[in-house]
Amino acid sequence: MTDSGHPLARRTVLGAIGLGGLGAAAAAAMPAQAATAVASEGGEIWSSEYWTKKGDIPLWIFRKRIGAPKAGEPARPVVFFVHGSSVTSRVFDLNVPGKGEYSVMNEFARYGFDVWTMDHENYGKSGRTAGNADIASGAEDLKVAVELIARETGQQKVHFVGESSGALRAGAFAMLAPDRVDRLVFAAFTYKGQGSPTLTKRAEQLAYYRSHNMRKRDREMIRSIATRDKPGTSDPAAIEVLADVEMQFGDQIPTGTYLDMTANLPVVHPEKVLAPVLLVRGEYDGIATVADLEEFYNKLPNGDRQFIILPGTAHSVALAINRQLFWHVTRAFLTMPTPIAT
């Protein structure tokens, strides 16, 4: 394991590839355009909503950055936040009055990133189907999202930050399309799930997940996300705001990721994840043991990898009182200098 390293300077530069919406032959003939993440000295956060389709299913996508896009400006690295099983992408863009910044999208926009997220099939504003929105379905959602991002930004590779089953979705996509993935951050991830108290408890409902595509997700269930491992690691005020914004979408949520996590693990195979990976685990997270994550970490083929445990934090790192620790290690990893070949 490695720690998070030294604090970053005020301005941090990230090299990335930005080839625009070019065809393969044209792209090969063009020099790479450097994308830089430069911490903002100010400026308004601009946002926009987008719609795309996976077949006939409409998918809602959301974007934030400092300032509206302008023709000819330097490319910015894209970071995509992937939500988990029981919440929508609102978890990454909360406004909690009097409690400081809770929007990780705002924070990373200020760091100089072009920040994106989406509601997966059967979540939030995206289309409803008869399916259970499992991990494989989520990877297909990301596939069409990345195509839209390429058209809008010119960026052919994207950083992914997934939390809980969002990390599994991101990992599944990375196996499908390694050429579209830059760096990966897996927060609250699980590999095989062995020894997990949360998954052991969840497996008691396995027959229900097999026979139903939706499950109840009420306000009490949302509150339990922050209390089931270690009460006090998240501010109740933030959880109430999350519940308020989530309940506008009703009290039903898909079962697919729960089924995958209780019956089908592993769904992400480390040998097939070629990108650099940061594993982030809360000290008190009940979804995966340290041993489970160490096994995954040790099998990753890319030597550019880190495993960090955040103190005073449980499963939900995005909503933790110590969420700034998550921001710090994620930013540091996404802005790692390109290694000199040896």
mmCIF file of all heavy atoms in Angstrom, residues 4 81 92 104 107-108 111 161-163 185-188 278-281 308 310-311 313 316-333:
data_model
loop_
_atom_site.group_PDB
_atom_site.id
_atom_site.type_symbol
_atom_site.label_atom_id
_atom_site.label_comp_id
_atom_site.label_asym_id
_atom_site.label_seq_id
_atom_site.Cartn_x
_atom_site.Cartn_y
_atom_site.Cartn_z
ATOM 1 N N SER A 4 -0.905 8.884 0.406
ATOM 2 C CA SER A 4 -1.380 9.802 -0.621
ATOM 3 C C SER A 4 -0.306 10.738 -1.127
ATOM 4 O O SER A 4 -0.541 11.517 -2.041
ATOM 5 C CB SER A 4 -2.549 10.629 -0.066
ATOM 6 O OG SER A 4 -2.142 11.335 1.084
ATOM 7 N N PHE A 81 -17.752 10.901 -12.848
ATOM 8 C CA PHE A 81 -18.133 10.297 -11.584
ATOM 9 C C PHE A 81 -19.298 9.336 -11.796
ATOM 10 O O PHE A 81 -20.311 9.697 -12.401
ATOM 11 C CB PHE A 81 -18.505 11.376 -10.561
ATOM 12 C CG PHE A 81 -17.317 12.135 -10.043
ATOM 13 C CD1 PHE A 81 -16.868 13.280 -10.685
ATOM 14 C CD2 PHE A 81 -16.622 11.682 -8.927
ATOM 15 C CE1 PHE A 81 -15.757 13.971 -10.226
ATOM 16 C CE2 PHE A 81 -15.517 12.360 -8.459
ATOM 17 C CZ PHE A 81 -15.079 13.511 -9.111
ATOM 18 N N PHE A 92 -23.115 13.387 -6.122
ATOM 19 C CA PHE A 92 -21.873 14.077 -6.446
ATOM 20 C C PHE A 92 -22.047 15.591 -6.573
ATOM 21 O O PHE A 92 -21.068 16.290 -6.862
ATOM 22 C CB PHE A 92 -21.295 13.535 -7.756
ATOM 23 C CG PHE A 92 -20.999 12.062 -7.725
ATOM 24 C CD1 PHE A 92 -21.575 11.205 -8.652
ATOM 25 C CD2 PHE A 92 -20.142 11.532 -6.766
ATOM 26 C CE1 PHE A 92 -21.295 9.846 -8.623
ATOM 27 C CE2 PHE A 92 -19.870 10.162 -6.727
ATOM 28 C CZ PHE A 92 -20.445 9.322 -7.664
ATOM 29 N N VAL A 104 -18.660 17.332 -5.095
ATOM 30 C CA VAL A 104 -17.356 16.938 -5.620
ATOM 31 C C VAL A 104 -17.214 17.413 -7.070
ATOM 32 O O VAL A 104 -16.096 17.681 -7.544
ATOM 33 C CB VAL A 104 -17.152 15.414 -5.493
ATOM 34 C CG1 VAL A 104 -18.075 14.644 -6.407
ATOM 35 C CG2 VAL A 104 -15.705 15.032 -5.746
ATOM 36 N N GLU A 107 -15.934 20.946 -6.788
ATOM 37 C CA GLU A 107 -14.553 20.963 -6.327
ATOM 38 C C GLU A 107 -13.589 20.607 -7.464
ATOM 39 O O GLU A 107 -12.567 21.268 -7.665
ATOM 40 C CB GLU A 107 -14.384 19.985 -5.169
ATOM 41 C CG GLU A 107 -13.103 20.153 -4.389
ATOM 42 C CD GLU A 107 -13.040 21.442 -3.576
ATOM 43 O OE1 GLU A 107 -14.089 22.079 -3.352
ATOM 44 O OE2 GLU A 107 -11.922 21.808 -3.179
ATOM 45 N N PHE A 108 -13.923 19.574 -8.237
ATOM 46 C CA PHE A 108 -13.022 19.171 -9.315
ATOM 47 C C PHE A 108 -13.089 20.107 -10.510
ATOM 48 O O PHE A 108 -12.114 20.234 -11.256
ATOM 49 C CB PHE A 108 -13.266 17.707 -9.692
ATOM 50 C CG PHE A 108 -12.507 16.770 -8.798
ATOM 51 C CD1 PHE A 108 -12.903 16.549 -7.484
ATOM 52 C CD2 PHE A 108 -11.364 16.146 -9.245
ATOM 53 C CE1 PHE A 108 -12.185 15.726 -6.634
ATOM 54 C CE2 PHE A 108 -10.632 15.305 -8.411
ATOM 55 C CZ PHE A 108 -11.042 15.101 -7.088
ATOM 56 N N TYR A 111 -10.569 22.558 -9.670
ATOM 57 C CA TYR A 111 -9.222 22.030 -9.876
ATOM 58 C C TYR A 111 -8.795 22.106 -11.340
ATOM 59 O O TYR A 111 -7.643 21.829 -11.669
ATOM 60 C CB TYR A 111 -9.138 20.568 -9.432
ATOM 61 C CG TYR A 111 -9.331 20.305 -7.963
ATOM 62 C CD1 TYR A 111 -9.718 19.036 -7.530
ATOM 63 C CD2 TYR A 111 -9.117 21.291 -7.003
ATOM 64 C CE1 TYR A 111 -9.888 18.758 -6.176
ATOM 65 C CE2 TYR A 111 -9.306 21.021 -5.657
ATOM 66 C CZ TYR A 111 -9.688 19.757 -5.250
ATOM 67 O OH TYR A 111 -9.862 19.477 -3.915
ATOM 68 N N VAL A 161 -14.127 7.986 -11.841
ATOM 69 C CA VAL A 161 -14.151 7.864 -10.386
ATOM 70 C C VAL A 161 -15.496 7.243 -10.023
ATOM 71 O O VAL A 161 -16.545 7.861 -10.187
ATOM 72 C CB VAL A 161 -13.999 9.228 -9.683
ATOM 73 C CG1 VAL A 161 -14.015 9.043 -8.168
ATOM 74 C CG2 VAL A 161 -12.719 9.932 -10.123
ATOM 75 N N GLY A 162 -15.474 5.985 -9.584
ATOM 76 C CA GLY A 162 -16.706 5.291 -9.234
ATOM 77 C C GLY A 162 -16.763 5.002 -7.751
ATOM 78 O O GLY A 162 -15.744 4.680 -7.131
ATOM 79 N N GLU A 163 -17.955 5.129 -7.174
ATOM 80 C CA GLU A 163 -18.133 4.822 -5.755
ATOM 81 C C GLU A 163 -19.059 3.627 -5.605
ATOM 82 O O GLU A 163 -20.123 3.577 -6.222
ATOM 83 C CB GLU A 163 -18.706 6.024 -4.996
ATOM 84 C CG GLU A 163 -18.786 5.780 -3.497
ATOM 85 C CD GLU A 163 -19.293 6.992 -2.723
ATOM 86 O OE1 GLU A 163 -20.329 7.562 -3.114
ATOM 87 O OE2 GLU A 163 -18.666 7.350 -1.714
ATOM 88 N N VAL A 185 -10.322 5.554 -10.501
ATOM 89 C CA VAL A 185 -10.391 5.622 -9.037
ATOM 90 C C VAL A 185 -11.582 4.783 -8.603
ATOM 91 O O VAL A 185 -12.721 5.084 -8.967
ATOM 92 C CB VAL A 185 -10.535 7.061 -8.535
ATOM 93 C CG1 VAL A 185 -10.635 7.085 -7.011
ATOM 94 C CG2 VAL A 185 -9.357 7.919 -8.996
ATOM 95 N N PHE A 186 -11.306 3.716 -7.850
ATOM 96 C CA PHE A 186 -12.345 2.825 -7.334
ATOM 97 C C PHE A 186 -12.516 3.108 -5.843
ATOM 98 O O PHE A 186 -11.661 2.726 -5.036
ATOM 99 C CB PHE A 186 -11.952 1.361 -7.518
ATOM 100 C CG PHE A 186 -11.866 0.897 -8.953
ATOM 101 C CD1 PHE A 186 -11.080 -0.196 -9.295
ATOM 102 C CD2 PHE A 186 -12.576 1.530 -9.958
ATOM 103 C CE1 PHE A 186 -11.008 -0.651 -10.600
ATOM 104 C CE2 PHE A 186 -12.507 1.092 -11.275
ATOM 105 C CZ PHE A 186 -11.718 -0.005 -11.596
ATOM 106 N N ALA A 187 -13.591 3.764 -5.477
ATOM 107 C CA ALA A 187 -13.881 4.071 -4.077
ATOM 108 C C ALA A 187 -14.977 3.142 -3.568
ATOM 109 O O ALA A 187 -15.945 2.875 -4.277
ATOM 110 C CB ALA A 187 -14.324 5.530 -3.920
ATOM 111 N N ALA A 188 -14.805 2.633 -2.344
ATOM 112 C CA ALA A 188 -15.781 1.713 -1.746
ATOM 113 C C ALA A 188 -16.018 0.506 -2.657
ATOM 114 O O ALA A 188 -17.139 -0.001 -2.775
ATOM 115 C CB ALA A 188 -17.093 2.440 -1.443
ATOM 116 N N LEU A 278 -6.385 3.607 -8.655
ATOM 117 C CA LEU A 278 -6.338 3.981 -7.246
ATOM 118 C C LEU A 278 -7.508 3.312 -6.548
ATOM 119 O O LEU A 278 -8.665 3.549 -6.911
ATOM 120 C CB LEU A 278 -6.433 5.496 -7.073
ATOM 121 C CG LEU A 278 -6.697 6.009 -5.649
ATOM 122 C CD1 LEU A 278 -5.549 5.639 -4.703
ATOM 123 C CD2 LEU A 278 -6.930 7.521 -5.656
ATOM 124 N N LEU A 279 -7.219 2.462 -5.558
ATOM 125 C CA LEU A 279 -8.253 1.893 -4.692
ATOM 126 C C LEU A 279 -8.355 2.759 -3.443
ATOM 127 O O LEU A 279 -7.349 2.991 -2.767
ATOM 128 C CB LEU A 279 -7.889 0.466 -4.285
ATOM 129 C CG LEU A 279 -7.992 -0.639 -5.328
ATOM 130 C CD1 LEU A 279 -7.445 -1.944 -4.755
ATOM 131 C CD2 LEU A 279 -9.431 -0.840 -5.771
ATOM 132 N N VAL A 280 -9.561 3.224 -3.132
ATOM 133 C CA VAL A 280 -9.797 4.051 -1.948
ATOM 134 C C VAL A 280 -10.807 3.334 -1.054
ATOM 135 O O VAL A 280 -11.929 3.058 -1.492
ATOM 136 C CB VAL A 280 -10.320 5.445 -2.316
ATOM 137 C CG1 VAL A 280 -10.559 6.282 -1.064
ATOM 138 C CG2 VAL A 280 -9.348 6.172 -3.241
ATOM 139 N N ARG A 281 -10.404 3.061 0.175
ATOM 140 C CA ARG A 281 -11.293 2.392 1.126
ATOM 141 C C ARG A 281 -11.420 3.236 2.395
ATOM 142 O O ARG A 281 -10.427 3.706 2.945
ATOM 143 C CB ARG A 281 -10.751 1.014 1.504
ATOM 144 C CG ARG A 281 -11.624 0.249 2.501
ATOM 145 C CD ARG A 281 -10.956 -1.049 2.941
ATOM 146 N NE ARG A 281 -11.845 -1.856 3.765
ATOM 147 C CZ ARG A 281 -11.950 -1.757 5.092
ATOM 148 N NH1 ARG A 281 -11.208 -0.866 5.748
ATOM 149 N NH2 ARG A 281 -12.780 -2.534 5.756
ATOM 150 N N ILE A 308 -5.206 3.196 -0.905
ATOM 151 C CA ILE A 308 -5.218 4.161 0.190
ATOM 152 C C ILE A 308 -6.436 3.916 1.080
ATOM 153 O O ILE A 308 -7.561 3.765 0.588
ATOM 154 C CB ILE A 308 -5.223 5.601 -0.338
ATOM 155 C CG1 ILE A 308 -3.912 5.892 -1.074
ATOM 156 C CG2 ILE A 308 -5.433 6.604 0.791
ATOM 157 C CD1 ILE A 308 -3.850 7.238 -1.738
ATOM 158 N N LEU A 310 -8.692 5.650 4.001
ATOM 159 C CA LEU A 310 -8.994 6.963 4.555
ATOM 160 C C LEU A 310 -9.437 6.826 6.013
ATOM 161 O O LEU A 310 -10.443 6.165 6.297
ATOM 162 C CB LEU A 310 -10.090 7.647 3.745
ATOM 163 C CG LEU A 310 -9.808 7.852 2.256
ATOM 164 C CD1 LEU A 310 -10.974 8.576 1.601
ATOM 165 C CD2 LEU A 310 -8.517 8.618 2.034
ATOM 166 N N PRO A 311 -8.738 7.451 6.948
ATOM 167 C CA PRO A 311 -9.123 7.352 8.359
ATOM 168 C C PRO A 311 -10.425 8.086 8.639
ATOM 169 O O PRO A 311 -10.776 9.054 7.966
ATOM 170 C CB PRO A 311 -7.944 8.008 9.087
ATOM 171 C CG PRO A 311 -7.372 8.965 8.084
ATOM 172 C CD PRO A 311 -7.545 8.300 6.748
ATOM 173 N N THR A 313 -13.451 7.343 8.132
ATOM 174 C CA THR A 313 -14.377 7.322 7.003
ATOM 175 C C THR A 313 -14.945 5.922 6.856
ATOM 176 O O THR A 313 -14.251 4.939 7.115
ATOM 177 C CB THR A 313 -13.642 7.732 5.710
ATOM 178 O OG1 THR A 313 -13.043 9.012 5.901
ATOM 179 C CG2 THR A 313 -14.577 7.805 4.526
ATOM 180 N N SER A 316 -19.398 5.523 2.453
ATOM 181 C CA SER A 316 -19.637 6.638 1.535
ATOM 182 C C SER A 316 -18.560 7.700 1.691
ATOM 183 O O SER A 316 -18.642 8.570 2.562
ATOM 184 C CB SER A 316 -21.023 7.253 1.780
ATOM 185 O OG SER A 316 -21.239 8.323 0.885
ATOM 186 N N VAL A 317 -17.549 7.645 0.835
ATOM 187 C CA VAL A 317 -16.472 8.634 0.926
ATOM 188 C C VAL A 317 -16.919 9.986 0.378
ATOM 189 O O VAL A 317 -16.435 11.034 0.823
ATOM 190 C CB VAL A 317 -15.212 8.141 0.197
ATOM 191 C CG1 VAL A 317 -14.652 6.909 0.894
ATOM 192 C CG2 VAL A 317 -15.487 7.839 -1.278
ATOM 193 N N ALA A 318 -17.841 9.999 -0.579
ATOM 194 C CA ALA A 318 -18.300 11.263 -1.156
ATOM 195 C C ALA A 318 -19.084 12.096 -0.148
ATOM 196 O O ALA A 318 -19.090 13.329 -0.230
ATOM 197 C CB ALA A 318 -19.154 10.999 -2.395
ATOM 198 N N LEU A 319 -19.740 11.437 0.806
ATOM 199 C CA LEU A 319 -20.569 12.146 1.790
ATOM 200 C C LEU A 319 -19.941 12.179 3.175
ATOM 201 O O LEU A 319 -20.579 12.603 4.132
ATOM 202 C CB LEU A 319 -21.947 11.481 1.879
ATOM 203 C CG LEU A 319 -22.814 11.553 0.626
ATOM 204 C CD1 LEU A 319 -24.114 10.807 0.853
ATOM 205 C CD2 LEU A 319 -23.097 12.994 0.240
ATOM 206 N N ALA A 320 -18.704 11.757 3.287
ATOM 207 C CA ALA A 320 -18.064 11.676 4.593
ATOM 208 C C ALA A 320 -17.753 13.060 5.158
ATOM 209 O O ALA A 320 -17.526 14.017 4.420
ATOM 210 C CB ALA A 320 -16.773 10.876 4.486
ATOM 211 N N ILE A 321 -17.745 13.143 6.479
ATOM 212 C CA ILE A 321 -17.249 14.364 7.114
ATOM 213 C C ILE A 321 -15.821 14.622 6.651
ATOM 214 O O ILE A 321 -15.426 15.770 6.420
ATOM 215 C CB ILE A 321 -17.341 14.230 8.647
ATOM 216 C CG1 ILE A 321 -18.817 14.246 9.080
ATOM 217 C CG2 ILE A 321 -16.558 15.342 9.349
ATOM 218 C CD1 ILE A 321 -19.033 13.944 10.547
ATOM 219 N N ASN A 322 -15.057 13.562 6.459
ATOM 220 C CA ASN A 322 -13.668 13.662 5.992
ATOM 221 C C ASN A 322 -13.564 13.549 4.474
ATOM 222 O O ASN A 322 -12.567 13.042 3.944
ATOM 223 C CB ASN A 322 -12.822 12.581 6.653
ATOM 224 C CG ASN A 322 -12.578 12.855 8.116
ATOM 225 O OD1 ASN A 322 -12.353 13.999 8.515
ATOM 226 N ND2 ASN A 322 -12.642 11.817 8.934
ATOM 227 N N ARG A 323 -14.561 14.024 3.764
ATOM 228 C CA ARG A 323 -14.576 13.914 2.304
ATOM 229 C C ARG A 323 -13.382 14.621 1.652
ATOM 230 O O ARG A 323 -12.963 14.253 0.550
ATOM 231 C CB ARG A 323 -15.893 14.466 1.736
ATOM 232 C CG ARG A 323 -16.116 15.946 2.038
ATOM 233 C CD ARG A 323 -17.578 16.337 1.848
ATOM 234 N NE ARG A 323 -17.796 17.741 2.219
ATOM 235 C CZ ARG A 323 -17.932 18.178 3.478
ATOM 236 N NH1 ARG A 323 -17.852 17.319 4.495
ATOM 237 N NH2 ARG A 323 -18.140 19.459 3.733
ATOM 238 N N GLN A 324 -12.831 15.661 2.320
ATOM 239 C CA GLN A 324 -11.670 16.342 1.747
ATOM 240 C C GLN A 324 -10.480 15.397 1.567
ATOM 241 O O GLN A 324 -9.654 15.600 0.670
ATOM 242 C CB GLN A 324 -11.255 17.538 2.620
ATOM 243 C CG GLN A 324 -12.241 18.699 2.601
ATOM 244 C CD GLN A 324 -13.319 18.557 3.659
ATOM 245 O OE1 GLN A 324 -13.447 17.503 4.291
ATOM 246 N NE2 GLN A 324 -14.082 19.617 3.881
ATOM 247 N N LEU A 325 -10.390 14.364 2.400
ATOM 248 C CA LEU A 325 -9.338 13.363 2.214
ATOM 249 C C LEU A 325 -9.526 12.639 0.881
ATOM 250 O O LEU A 325 -8.556 12.373 0.158
ATOM 251 C CB LEU A 325 -9.357 12.357 3.359
ATOM 252 C CG LEU A 325 -9.125 12.887 4.783
ATOM 253 C CD1 LEU A 325 -9.258 11.751 5.789
ATOM 254 C CD2 LEU A 325 -7.776 13.569 4.891
ATOM 255 N N PHE A 326 -10.771 12.320 0.576
ATOM 256 C CA PHE A 326 -11.085 11.672 -0.700
ATOM 257 C C PHE A 326 -10.743 12.590 -1.864
ATOM 258 O O PHE A 326 -10.139 12.160 -2.860
ATOM 259 C CB PHE A 326 -12.563 11.280 -0.712
ATOM 260 C CG PHE A 326 -13.072 10.775 -2.032
ATOM 261 C CD1 PHE A 326 -12.459 9.722 -2.675
ATOM 262 C CD2 PHE A 326 -14.186 11.358 -2.630
ATOM 263 C CE1 PHE A 326 -12.934 9.245 -3.902
ATOM 264 C CE2 PHE A 326 -14.664 10.895 -3.848
ATOM 265 C CZ PHE A 326 -14.038 9.847 -4.480
ATOM 266 N N TRP A 327 -11.114 13.851 -1.755
ATOM 267 C CA TRP A 327 -10.780 14.801 -2.817
ATOM 268 C C TRP A 327 -9.272 14.856 -3.031
ATOM 269 O O TRP A 327 -8.788 14.864 -4.155
ATOM 270 C CB TRP A 327 -11.277 16.205 -2.475
ATOM 271 C CG TRP A 327 -12.740 16.351 -2.255
ATOM 272 C CD1 TRP A 327 -13.725 15.446 -2.559
ATOM 273 C CD2 TRP A 327 -13.395 17.471 -1.672
ATOM 274 N NE1 TRP A 327 -14.959 15.945 -2.194
ATOM 275 C CE2 TRP A 327 -14.787 17.175 -1.651
ATOM 276 C CE3 TRP A 327 -12.957 18.686 -1.161
ATOM 277 C CZ2 TRP A 327 -15.725 18.080 -1.135
ATOM 278 C CZ3 TRP A 327 -13.898 19.585 -0.653
ATOM 279 C CH2 TRP A 327 -15.263 19.272 -0.644
ATOM 280 N N HIS A 328 -8.540 14.924 -1.932
ATOM 281 C CA HIS A 328 -7.085 15.095 -2.021
ATOM 282 C C HIS A 328 -6.415 13.917 -2.718
ATOM 283 O O HIS A 328 -5.615 14.106 -3.647
ATOM 284 C CB HIS A 328 -6.492 15.281 -0.621
ATOM 285 C CG HIS A 328 -4.997 15.334 -0.608
ATOM 286 N ND1 HIS A 328 -4.292 16.480 -0.882
ATOM 287 C CD2 HIS A 328 -4.062 14.367 -0.390
ATOM 288 C CE1 HIS A 328 -2.994 16.231 -0.818
ATOM 289 N NE2 HIS A 328 -2.832 14.960 -0.519
ATOM 290 N N VAL A 329 -6.717 12.703 -2.270
ATOM 291 C CA VAL A 329 -6.025 11.547 -2.860
ATOM 292 C C VAL A 329 -6.455 11.334 -4.300
ATOM 293 O O VAL A 329 -5.648 10.897 -5.143
ATOM 294 C CB VAL A 329 -6.229 10.269 -2.017
ATOM 295 C CG1 VAL A 329 -5.672 10.467 -0.607
ATOM 296 C CG2 VAL A 329 -7.691 9.839 -1.964
ATOM 297 N N THR A 330 -7.711 11.640 -4.617
ATOM 298 C CA THR A 330 -8.188 11.487 -5.989
ATOM 299 C C THR A 330 -7.522 12.506 -6.900
ATOM 300 O O THR A 330 -7.031 12.169 -7.992
ATOM 301 C CB THR A 330 -9.719 11.634 -6.042
ATOM 302 O OG1 THR A 330 -10.315 10.592 -5.261
ATOM 303 C CG2 THR A 330 -10.243 11.540 -7.463
ATOM 304 N N ARG A 331 -7.481 13.752 -6.466
ATOM 305 C CA ARG A 331 -6.831 14.785 -7.268
ATOM 306 C C ARG A 331 -5.350 14.449 -7.476
ATOM 307 O O ARG A 331 -4.821 14.582 -8.591
ATOM 308 C CB ARG A 331 -6.979 16.135 -6.582
ATOM 309 C CG ARG A 331 -6.333 17.285 -7.350
ATOM 310 C CD ARG A 331 -6.331 18.551 -6.521
ATOM 311 N NE ARG A 331 -5.784 19.674 -7.269
ATOM 312 C CZ ARG A 331 -5.534 20.865 -6.729
ATOM 313 N NH1 ARG A 331 -5.784 21.076 -5.447
ATOM 314 N NH2 ARG A 331 -5.043 21.840 -7.465
ATOM 315 N N ALA A 332 -4.684 14.026 -6.416
ATOM 316 C CA ALA A 332 -3.263 13.698 -6.532
ATOM 317 C C ALA A 332 -3.039 12.586 -7.543
ATOM 318 O O ALA A 332 -2.107 12.644 -8.361
ATOM 319 C CB ALA A 332 -2.710 13.302 -5.162
ATOM 320 N N PHE A 333 -3.895 11.573 -7.518
ATOM 321 C CA PHE A 333 -3.733 10.443 -8.438
ATOM 322 C C PHE A 333 -4.021 10.851 -9.882
ATOM 323 O O PHE A 333 -3.306 10.440 -10.805
ATOM 324 C CB PHE A 333 -4.653 9.302 -8.016
ATOM 325 C CG PHE A 333 -4.498 8.064 -8.844
ATOM 326 C CD1 PHE A 333 -3.366 7.268 -8.727
ATOM 327 C CD2 PHE A 333 -5.474 7.694 -9.745
ATOM 328 C CE1 PHE A 333 -3.215 6.122 -9.494
ATOM 329 C CE2 PHE A 333 -5.341 6.547 -10.521
ATOM 330 C CZ PHE A 333 -4.205 5.760 -10.388
#
